[in-house]
Amino acid sequence: MDDLYREIILDHYRNPRNKGTLEDATHTFQDDNPLCGDRIRMDLKVNGTGVIEQVRFDGEGCAISQASASMLTEMVLGKSLEEAKAISKQDILDALGIQLGPVRIKCALLSLKVLKGALYGLSGAIDEEE
Amino acid sequence: MDDLYREIILDHYRNPRNKGTLEDATHTFQDDNPLCGDRIRMDLKVNGTGVIEQVRFDGEGCAISQASASMLTEMVLGKSLEEAKAISKQDILDALGIQLGPVRIKCALLSLKVLKGALYGLSGAIDEEE
Amino acid sequence: MLDSDVVRQDFPILHQSINGKPLVYLDSAASSQKPLVVIQAMDEYYRAYHANVHRGIYQLSEKATEAYEAARRKVARFINARSWREIIFTRNATEAINLVAYAWGRHNITARDKILVTEMEHHANLVPWQQLAAETGAQLAYIPLDENFCCDMAAYEAMLDAHVKLVAITQMSNVLGTIVPVREFVARAHAVGALVLLDGAQGVPHLPTDVQSLDVDFLAASGHKMLGPTGSGFLYGKRHLLEEMPPFLTGGEMIRRVTWTGAEWNDLPHKFEAGTPAIAEAIGLGVAVDYLSRLGMENVRQHEVNLTRYALEQLSQVEGIRIYGPQQVERRGGAIAFNLDGLHAHDVAAILDREGIAIRAGHHCAMPLHQKLGVVATARASFYVYNEPAEIDRLVEALDMVRRLFER
Amino acid sequence: MLDSDVVRQDFPILHQSINGKPLVYLDSAASSQKPLVVIQAMDEYYRAYHANVHRGIYQLSEKATEAYEAARRKVARFINARSWREIIFTRNATEAINLVAYAWGRHNITARDKILVTEMEHHANLVPWQQLAAETGAQLAYIPLDENFCCDMAAYEAMLDAHVKLVAITQMSNVLGTIVPVREFVARAHAVGALVLLDGAQGVPHLPTDVQSLDVDFLAASGHKMLGPTGSGFLYGKRHLLEEMPPFLTGGEMIRRVTWTGAEWNDLPHKFEAGTPAIAEAIGLGVAVDYLSRLGMENVRQHEVNLTRYALEQLSQVEGIRIYGPQQVERRGGAIAFNLDGLHAHDVAAILDREGIAIRAGHHCAMPLHQKLGVVATARASFYVYNEPAEIDRLVEALDMVRRLFER
Ligand SMILES: Cc1ncc(COP(=O)(O)O)c(C=O)c1O
Ligand SMILES: Cc1ncc(COP(=O)(O)O)c(C=O)c1O
């Protein structure tokens, strides 16, 4: 069981990093997964040189969705917009370090979907794999 | 195979009895089985004492449907209306003397359906078994 | 009495391990497992007598037709329909309900009319009526639940008037387990001239169901939730209603005659079964119905009452658990929705899976109900003939473990 | 090349006797038989990993979901769809066509519009359009056949104008065997802005079919005619068309979100798959498609060309026979309709059955075509991968016997 709920996931879930919202966000986006009721919002503050200076996430949902959002905020902080856009699904799954079934994978990737929505300023920027 | 196309059936099919129509029919009815394209018409002449004096059938279709119509005309000739109404499906099947599957049974019973339609003066007088 | 030890022998799937632990299958409300006799009947069909039905003049086809139509008669007897002509095979309960929404609803509902549903309907018995209402301008209204998760009958009565044309209700909630007093619903609906469609997806597999005594006008059910194969379900409709309805799907099998300009429809039930039917599936469902009849639906119900009573007792010991649904076992079936305080149902289900325990988590296709309950998701354990008390013990132990894991 | 001796080993049903004679199954146009791998895949599913799909967070359900969705991808590849999202599982081809008639037709066809079909359509690709035309006031017109039982392309061209919104044609006639020049049909239809729905019930099982190269807008097919289980079929639709269409059946699985007042739809293809799908059936169809791909559809076609050539040669020797359909094997598939002079097709089929030979007799769900042919019924022999020339010899011998019996 610990292979699914590794200590690092539980830790991010219990003690989320960068939780909250930003008043002066330059990029913001929110989405949910109605199937599970997971909801994630991401606020980013990007400075003049295109670097992500601050990031916050807010939301509710299962441990996987919330932990992955928390991890993702750590991944993007200090990165350039281009670097952040390059974060892939696999990067998230690697960070989580667990095998996920088809339902849970949506939980895991919701935060990335929201991040991309914020970065590209639109929804559906990353499509489901075909 | 002879159990299905017994000589008597082939004989009625090749040499139908009472084939044709009646100019002065007192009872007449026609129906078809669109599934197979079988078509039967029955003309009866019933006299004042309620006896079937003359009968003719006309139609086209498979051997089973035409032979059973031919046999049925022999069965009803000289019978009273009441007696004719009492003819059952089983009587027809006994006369044919063969085992029939669900599709062919409709062919076999079309003439009886038409006869009853003529006798009762309406369609659907005998319903499908429930 | 039903002996689940014996019953379990008939279900090959149950004899396996998941992550080294014996499978505990507690998701029969989503789809039941199948006894060997059902699996074998379909296998036998394909190996020995598969052919298209109804029009074949050769023995395979005649045998297939006979088996297919025999299955229909079994289903008719199982719910005590007056005639086999009142049974229409569908893919699932959803299709059965849609059939009524299209073939009856589109021709009988106008902007002046009202349709009533309960607050606990499955989307299958909700979205088709929302769509019908949207298309016709009719009003869709919700019969509320009381604080005991049962229908508020006084509110229902107050909602009934001559504009109500249809009352579409579940026989048993797939979330709360609530059993609906169908006869009362029907009597009052009929008193104002409304028809009643009963969503029996959960009720028919678990409760003795007699359409004549319930006097419902339509009944929809899922074959795959009552030991039958996937791709099987059925609609029961009172004959005169089905006779009056135009067809739904059109094509082969459902016609009597087709000309260049139009068509005449076949007799019931064929009028509503267009194209090659799901033959193996109907045959499998017939065998499932035989199996249930052999167990006896009263015994099935009693077995589940016992399990549910035990489960409610045991689950209520779990720290921080919240159970949604009536407490009295007489008023409910064996689908038990719950949440552990502060935990998402998905996490609960995922950890249970590691323990070999299969439950469902989510909105169970009843999003409005979950909104009413004030949660986005619940975990749900549901029972059937093959479940036994020891499995409930395993569930409870595992839930305790879930708690400990997240509290660490 | 396809070796039918080897193929036959895979079909358990063929190894039986009817009335003491080895079964000769010549009714694959109605429904094909199933190879052991298909039967076993479904058996295995029920014995090892049946569960409801898509929302389950436990291993059985995840495995079932994976297998179900893998089957969809197999079907997509089989017909070379751009995306698996363009494949919607249905019960049969009839349901697939009705889906388009309801979800596309009811929203795009008006009284000013025309729908074209050929004179040889199966009722499945005719009655839904008659109904649509009757409901909307649109005009339904028939593309005539020429004296060679092929579509009169000049007449088709003359019928096309800007009012034509849909051309619904069969890929291969289930009576005449005629293969339609789909690409030509499509090019001309698209030139006037009309969509093309291809009824692939007969074509997809027997001809290599590439939806991208054919450029059809919709394709309907029957799984059970292509070695798959009963209860299986599918609709292919171009993605942008499916995206624009409202849903057809509504309920669970096909929604993203439901509120008290309405619903949002799920992504393709789920938007069109309401309720618990026919899971075992889709899995079985996936295995059938694998089996056909392994044989190679070019080989399947060549095998049937060979059989059809031989059958046409041999049958034409039978005294008093009349064969309906093109003589050139390149223009036709292996469904051969015929009549024996003065005999009803039912009698022919019944006597053949006594000889263990299964053929079909009747109007084959193409009554208008039969009216055109001037007969109420035809006998039809149809071939598939497991048939062999010796079976055609048996057919011809038996037909000679039928003649003798009735001439006596
Ligand atoms: C109460 C209820 N109604 C309808 C359905 C839909 O059944 P199906 O998926 O077989 O169409 C379900 C099952 O999911 C249900 O629980
Ligand atoms: C050309 C054609 N179209 C449609 C159909 C209908 O197929 P199904 O019965 O699978 O819906 C058939 C088969 O009967 C057919 O031959």
Side-chain angles (χ1 to χ4, degrees):
Chain A
M1 165 192 42
D2 11 359
D3 52 331
L4 180 57
Y5 288 84
R6 297 164 67 218
E7 196 47 52
I8 183 167
I9 294 177
L10 289 173
D11 180 48
H12 273 272
Y13 179 56
R14 294 198 200 99
N15 312 299
R17 325 297 199 259
N18 304 308
K19 184 124 190 215
T21 55
L22 288 178
E23 292 271 298
D24 52 350
T26 55
H27 296 67
T28 187
F29 198 69
Q30 164 161 342
D31 200 0
D32 64 1
N33 178 351
L35 188 66
C36 338
D38 296 339
R39 187 182 60 75
I40 301 278
R41 167 183 164 147
M42 285 252 175
D43 290 350
L44 304 174
K45 191 170 162 201
V46 178
N47 70 14
T49 62
V51 168
I52 298 171
E53 269 191 341
Q54 282 190 46
V55 55
R56 293 279 184 286
F57 87 95
D58 196 22
E60 52 187 359
C62 66
I64 305 289
S65 72
Q66 302 303 305
S68 82
S70 170
M71 288 171 166
L72 185 60
T73 59
E74 291 194 328
M75 287 164 73
V76 297
L77 197 63
K79 284 226 165 68
S80 73
L81 277 178
E82 289 321 301
E83 287 167 330
K85 283 180 182 173
I87 296 174
S88 70
K89 296 175 187 182
Q90 199 51 53
D91 295 333
I92 302 283
L93 298 178
D94 288 347
L96 289 166
I98 52 177
Q99 282 289 330
L100 290 171
V103 172
R104 303 314 302 286
I105 216 157
K106 294 202 173 150
C107 307
L109 297 178
L110 177 60
S111 54
L112 181 64
K113 194 170 165 208
V114 171
L115 174 71
K116 299 278 170 111
L119 295 175
Y120 290 96
L122 43 81
S123 105
I126 58 162
D127 198 11
E128 305 284 316
E129 60 166 337
E130 289 306 292
Chain B
M1 163 194 43
D2 11 2
D3 52 331
L4 179 58
Y5 288 83
R6 297 165 66 218
E7 196 46 54
I8 183 166
I9 294 176
L10 289 172
D11 180 49
H12 273 273
Y13 178 56
R14 294 200 199 97
N15 313 298
R17 325 295 199 263
N18 304 306
K19 183 121 191 218
T21 56
L22 289 177
E23 292 271 296
D24 52 350
T26 55
H27 296 67
T28 188
F29 197 70
Q30 165 162 340
D31 201 359
D32 64 0
N33 178 349
L35 189 65
C36 339
D38 295 339
R39 188 181 60 74
I40 301 278
R41 166 182 165 149
M42 285 252 174
D43 290 351
L44 305 173
K45 192 170 162 198
V46 179
N47 69 15
T49 61
V51 168
I52 298 172
E53 268 191 341
Q54 281 191 45
V55 56
R56 291 281 185 285
F57 87 94
D58 196 20
E60 53 187 358
C62 67
I64 305 289
S65 72
Q66 302 303 304
S68 82
S70 169
M71 288 172 165
L72 185 60
T73 60
E74 291 194 328
M75 286 164 73
V76 298
L77 197 63
K79 285 225 165 65
S80 72
L81 276 179
E82 290 321 302
E83 287 167 331
K85 283 180 181 172
I87 295 173
S88 70
K89 295 175 187 182
Q90 199 51 53
D91 294 334
I92 302 283
L93 298 179
D94 288 348
L96 289 165
I98 52 176
Q99 283 288 332
L100 289 171
V103 173
R104 303 313 303 285
I105 217 159
K106 294 201 173 151
C107 307
L109 296 178
L110 176 61
S111 54
L112 182 63
K113 193 170 164 209
V114 170
L115 173 71
K116 300 277 169 111
L119 294 175
Y120 290 96
L122 45 80
S123 106
I126 57 162
D127 197 11
E128 306 283 314
E129 59 164 340
E130 290 307 292
Chain C
M1 263 311 298
L2 187 157
D3 182 346
S4 56
D5 266 0
V6 174
V7 169
R8 291 177 71 78
Q9 300 307 316
D10 295 332
F11 290 78
I13 199 171
L14 299 178
H15 308 286
Q16 69 177 291
S17 292
I18 302 284
N19 297 324
K21 317 231 164 91
L23 168 65
V24 174
Y25 185 75
L26 299 179
D27 196 22
S28 294
S31 195
S32 78
Q33 298 303 342
K34 325 301 173 199
L36 200 53
V37 283
V38 168
I39 303 173
Q40 284 173 336
M42 293 189 288
D43 191 79
E44 168 71 7
Y45 168 71
Y46 286 124
R47 283 170 189 262
Y49 65 101
H50 165 67
N52 215 324
V53 289
H54 291 145
R55 295 152 304 168
I57 310 186
Y58 53 88
Q59 287 171 49
L60 293 187
S61 174
E62 287 173 356
K63 197 167 165 199
T65 302
E66 228 163 76
Y68 179 71
E69 292 299 333
R72 194 193 306 279
R73 284 162 208 256
K74 289 176 187 184
V75 170
R77 270 195 303 276
F78 187 68
I79 59 163
N80 196 30
R82 278 168 206 81
S83 162
W84 56 272
R85 292 189 182 277
E86 296 177 319
I87 305 297
I88 297 155
F89 285 123
T90 61
R91 176 173 38 249
N92 49 30
T94 303
E95 189 191 12
I97 295 169
N98 276 272
L99 194 164
V100 177
Y102 275 98
W104 180 85
R106 284 344 183 238
H107 300 271
N108 287 279
I109 294 290
T110 69
R112 286 186 313 279
D113 296 331
K114 276 191 220 162
I115 301 166
L116 305 186
V117 298
T118 77
E119 286 183 335
M120 60 185 167
E121 295 310 320
H122 186 281
H123 296 158
N125 198 28
L126 175 52
V127 186
W129 310 121
Q130 288 184 338
Q131 289 294 100
L132 177 61
E135 272 182 40
T136 58
Q139 190 195 331
L140 180 68
Y142 293 85
I143 304 160
L145 296 180
D146 61 22
E147 63 297 329
N148 192 27
F149 304 98
C150 292
C151 290
D152 180 338
M153 295 305 281
Y156 170 52
E157 201 139 11
M159 293 166 85
L160 282 171
D161 62 35
H163 293 289
V164 177
K165 287 285 157 13
L166 179 71
V167 178
I169 51 170
T170 190
Q171 188 178 5
M172 187 198 286
S173 164
N174 66 316
V175 179
L176 307 170
T178 310
I179 295 173
V180 160
V182 177
R183 240 177 288 204
E184 274 186 69
F185 263 96
V186 171
R188 294 174 199 192
H190 284 178
V192 298
L195 299 186
V196 175
L197 176 140
L198 189 64
D199 173 358
Q202 295 299 331
V204 173
H206 301 283
L207 304 173
T209 302
D210 177 331
V211 290
Q212 292 192 55
S213 100
L214 293 176
D215 201 22
V216 293
D217 300 289
F218 297 106
L219 170 74
S222 294
H224 66 92
K225 292 190 208 276
M226 50 195 280
L227 309 184
T230 58
S232 74
F234 64 89
L235 174 70
Y236 155 85
K238 283 183 182 164
R239 184 160 178 175
H240 72 98
L241 293 170
L242 296 176
E243 296 279 10
E244 285 159 19
M245 281 154 60
F248 173 39
L249 304 180
T250 60
E253 294 266 326
M254 54 72 68
I255 56 92
R256 180 190 309 288
R257 193 188 317 264
V258 177
T259 67
W260 300 104
T261 52
E264 274 171 44
W265 313 129
N266 201 342
D267 295 329
L268 288 177
H270 311 297
K271 179 170 89 174
F272 291 106
E273 292 184 1
T276 304
I279 307 167
E281 291 71 12
I283 293 171
L285 177 56
V287 175
V289 152
D290 284 344
Y291 187 94
L292 286 172
S293 301
R294 227 160 29 237
L295 292 180
M297 285 306 293
E298 294 290 355
N299 294 330
V300 169
R301 170 65 182 149
Q302 191 54 52
H303 174 71
E304 289 176 36
V305 163
N306 296 346
L307 279 177
T308 304
R309 182 182 292 114
Y310 184 67
L312 289 172
E313 274 167 28
Q314 297 301 309
L315 284 171
S316 62
Q317 318 284 319
V318 174
E319 202 193 314
I321 200 169
R322 168 93 207 265
I323 295 173
Y324 307 89
Q327 285 297 318
Q328 311 92 311
V329 286
E330 314 76 45
R331 307 188 68 169
R332 62 168 300 146
I336 304 182
F338 61 90
N339 268 324
L340 294 187
D341 195 27
L343 289 185
H344 193 286
H346 273 195
D347 294 318
V348 175
I351 296 170
L352 261 48
D353 179 43
R354 298 290 153 145
E355 297 295 303
I357 302 171
I359 66 162
R360 199 145 281 247
H363 53 60
H364 315 296
C365 294
M367 288 186 89
L369 172 63
H370 278 77
Q371 192 182 321
K372 166 118 183 170
L373 298 176
V375 292
V376 290
T378 52
R380 181 188 70 190
S382 57
F383 312 127
Y384 209 7
V385 290
Y386 33 70
N387 290 117
E388 43 190 14
E391 295 180 308
I392 291 166
D393 297 337
R394 292 252 328 261
L395 170 66
V396 169
E397 274 165 41
L399 289 175
D400 283 334
M401 211 199 52
V402 171
R403 280 233 67 84
R404 284 198 305 276
L405 178 73
F406 275 89
E407 265 163 13
R408 236 186 344 205
Chain D
M1 263 310 299
L2 188 156
D3 182 346
S4 56
D5 265 1
V6 174
V7 168
R8 291 176 73 76
Q9 299 308 316
D10 295 333
F11 290 79
I13 200 170
L14 299 178
H15 307 285
Q16 70 177 291
S17 293
I18 303 283
N19 297 324
K21 318 234 162 85
L23 169 65
V24 174
Y25 185 74
L26 299 178
D27 196 21
S28 294
S31 195
S32 78
Q33 298 303 341
K34 325 300 172 200
L36 200 53
V37 284
V38 168
I39 302 173
Q40 284 173 336
M42 294 190 288
D43 192 80
E44 169 71 7
Y45 168 71
Y46 286 124
R47 284 171 188 262
Y49 65 101
H50 165 66
N52 215 325
V53 288
H54 290 145
R55 294 153 303 166
I57 310 187
Y58 54 88
Q59 287 171 50
L60 293 187
S61 174
E62 287 172 358
K63 196 166 168 200
T65 302
E66 229 163 76
Y68 178 71
E69 292 299 333
R72 194 193 306 279
R73 284 162 206 257
K74 290 176 186 185
V75 170
R77 271 194 303 276
F78 188 68
I79 60 163
N80 196 29
R82 277 169 207 79
S83 161
W84 56 272
R85 291 189 183 275
E86 297 178 318
I87 305 298
I88 296 156
F89 285 123
T90 62
R91 176 172 40 247
N92 49 31
T94 303
E95 190 191 12
I97 296 170
N98 275 272
L99 193 165
V100 177
Y102 275 97
W104 179 85
R106 293 322 191 253
H107 301 271
N108 288 279
I109 294 290
T110 70
R112 287 186 313 279
D113 297 332
K114 276 192 220 161
I115 301 166
L116 305 187
V117 297
T118 78
E119 286 182 335
M120 61 185 166
E121 295 310 320
H122 186 280
H123 295 158
N125 198 28
L126 175 52
V127 185
W129 311 121
Q130 288 184 337
Q131 289 294 102
L132 177 62
E135 272 182 39
T136 58
Q139 190 196 329
L140 180 68
Y142 293 85
I143 303 159
L145 296 180
D146 63 22
E147 62 298 327
N148 192 27
F149 304 99
C150 292
C151 290
D152 179 339
M153 295 304 283
Y156 169 53
E157 201 139 10
M159 293 166 84
L160 283 171
D161 62 35
H163 292 290
V164 177
K165 287 285 157 12
L166 179 71
V167 178
I169 52 170
T170 190
Q171 189 178 5
M172 187 197 290
S173 164
N174 67 317
V175 179
L176 307 170
T178 310
I179 294 173
V180 160
V182 178
R183 242 177 286 202
E184 275 186 68
F185 263 97
V186 171
R188 294 174 198 191
H190 284 177
V192 298
L195 299 186
V196 175
L197 177 139
L198 188 64
D199 174 358
Q202 295 298 332
V204 173
H206 300 285
L207 304 174
T209 302
D210 177 331
V211 290
Q212 293 192 55
S213 101
L214 293 176
D215 200 24
V216 293
D217 300 288
F218 297 106
L219 169 74
S222 294
H224 66 91
K225 293 190 207 278
M226 49 194 281
L227 309 184
T230 59
S232 74
F234 65 89
L235 174 70
Y236 155 85
K238 283 184 182 163
R239 185 161 177 175
H240 73 98
L241 293 170
L242 295 176
E243 297 279 9
E244 284 159 19
M245 283 154 60
F248 174 38
L249 303 179
T250 60
E253 295 266 328
M254 54 70 67
I255 56 93
R256 180 190 310 287
R257 194 188 315 265
V258 178
T259 67
W260 300 104
T261 53
E264 272 171 45
W265 314 130
N266 202 342
D267 294 329
L268 288 178
H270 312 297
K271 180 170 87 174
F272 291 107
E273 292 184 1
T276 305
I279 307 167
E281 291 70 14
I283 292 172
L285 177 56
V287 175
V289 152
D290 284 343
Y291 187 93
L292 285 172
S293 301
R294 227 160 27 236
L295 292 180
M297 287 306 293
E298 293 290 354
N299 294 330
V300 169
R301 169 64 182 150
Q302 191 53 51
H303 174 71
E304 290 177 37
V305 163
N306 296 345
L307 279 178
T308 304
R309 182 180 293 115
Y310 184 68
L312 289 173
E313 273 167 28
Q314 297 301 308
L315 283 171
S316 61
Q317 317 284 321
V318 175
E319 202 194 313
I321 201 170
R322 167 94 208 263
I323 295 173
Y324 307 90
Q327 284 298 318
Q328 311 91 308
V329 285
E330 313 75 45
R331 307 189 67 167
R332 61 168 301 145
I336 304 182
F338 61 91
N339 269 323
L340 294 186
D341 194 27
L343 289 186
H344 192 287
H346 274 195
D347 294 319
V348 175
I351 297 170
L352 261 48
D353 178 44
R354 297 292 154 143
E355 296 296 304
I357 302 170
I359 65 161
R360 198 145 280 246
H363 53 59
H364 315 296
C365 294
M367 289 186 89
L369 172 63
H370 278 77
Q371 193 182 320
K372 166 117 183 169
L373 298 176
V375 293
V376 291
T378 52
R380 181 188 70 191
S382 57
F383 312 128
Y384 210 5
V385 290
Y386 34 68
N387 290 118
E388 42 189 14
E391 295 181 308
I392 292 166
D393 297 337
R394 294 251 329 261
L395 170 67
V396 168
E397 273 165 40
L399 289 175
D400 283 333
M401 211 198 54
V402 171
R403 283 232 65 84
R404 286 196 303 277
L405 178 74
F406 276 88
E407 264 163 14
R408 234 180 358 202

